[in-house]
Amino acid sequence: MGIVIGWGNLNGVVSSNIYQESDSATGYRTGHSIVFAYLFLFLLGGSGLQYVLLKKENARRRAGKLDHLYEGRSEKEVEALGDI
């Protein structure tokens, strides 16, 4: 949660620097273009990264590489671990 809030604050710093008073005549085209590129990059890049990482993690689970985390534990203990 802290990362999300921190990232939002960082975006405020970026926005205050890319929207310049001199661009008001052009409808802030430069600022809007930078924000659009930023959103495009991180929406698609983040989604793609999440997809790749989850496929890798699921393959590790199917191969049994995480079974050692559950060995010797009761069902209640495994449930308390959550999604490792």
Side-chain angles (χ1 to χ4, degrees):
M1 184 67 156
I3 292 173
V4 172
I5 293 169
W7 193 256
N9 290 337
L10 183 61
N11 288 330
V13 172
V14 171
S15 294
S16 67
N17 288 301
I18 61 174
Y19 284 100
Q20 301 295 320
E21 183 70 30
S22 59
D23 288 340
S24 63
T26 61
Y28 298 102
R29 188 171 290 164
T30 303
H32 290 333
S33 299
I34 292 171
V35 168
F36 180 74
Y38 185 84
L39 290 172
F40 182 78
L41 173 69
F42 287 103
L43 177 64
L44 292 180
S47 296
L49 179 64
Q50 184 75 13
Y51 177 80
V52 168
L53 292 175
L54 287 174
K55 278 194 74 80
K56 184 178 176 182
E57 180 68 16
N58 287 335
R60 288 179 58 209
R61 288 176 185 233
R62 280 192 296 275
K65 293 182 179 178
L66 298 178
D67 289 350
H68 68 279
L69 299 171
Y70 302 108
E71 291 174 357
R73 297 182 188 255
S74 69
E75 188 174 327
K76 191 171 186 175
E77 288 174 323
V78 171
E79 186 178 320
L81 290 174
D83 189 22
I84 296 177

